[in-house]
């Protein structure tokens, strides 16, 4: 049987925790970048046919409604 002194076992225990936390941190950073949402580039569309509101990530002016598949046109609001 392998005998490990207590001080080395504690260091191994800490290293395993540090590696686990590092892996989880890198995974969180990767997921945040993969699901990044920039509200400046996205646009809110509202379907005229079914009144369904949805957000498109890219700044396009024409999209299809995910509910009824009709064409939706992005309209800029007037500022007073
Ligand atoms: Zn619709």
């Amino acid at each position: 049987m392998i005998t490990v002194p207590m001080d080395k076992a504690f260091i191994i225990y800490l290293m395993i925790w540090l590696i686990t936390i590092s892996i989880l941190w890198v995974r969180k950073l990767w997921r945040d970048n993969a699901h990044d949402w920039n509200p400046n580039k996205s646009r809110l569309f509202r379907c005229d046919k079914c009144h369904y509101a949805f957000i498109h990530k890219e700044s396009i002016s024409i999209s299809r409604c995910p509910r009824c598949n009709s064409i939706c046109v992005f309209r800029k609001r007037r500022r007073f």
Side-chain angles (χ1 to χ4, degrees):
M1 185 170 174
I2 300 172
T3 57
V4 179
M6 277 305 276
D7 57 339
K8 289 189 179 182
F10 184 70
I11 289 173
I12 291 171
Y13 176 75
L14 282 178
M15 292 301 289
I16 289 172
W17 269 110
L18 282 175
I19 290 170
T20 303
I21 289 172
S22 300
I23 289 171
L24 291 174
W25 182 56
V26 169
R27 180 176 169 255
K28 184 198 178 308
L29 288 177
W30 179 76
R31 291 184 72 183
D32 285 349
N33 286 336
H35 302 290
D36 192 20
W37 179 58
N38 190 352
N40 292 333
K41 292 182 179 177
S42 63
R43 290 188 167 176
L44 177 66
F45 286 89
R46 189 172 153 265
C47 180
D48 292 331
K49 191 175 177 183
C50 68
H51 303 288
Y52 183 72
F54 59 98
I55 295 175
H56 210 283
K57 286 186 177 180
E58 296 125 19
S59 64
I60 57 174
S61 55
I62 296 176
S63 178
R64 287 211 174 253
C65 175
R67 184 182 280 174
C68 66
N69 206 22
S70 67
I71 294 176
C72 302
V73 178
F74 178 75
R75 294 185 183 97
K76 291 184 180 179
R77 292 187 177 186
R78 292 182 195 156
R79 296 184 180 193
F80 297 103

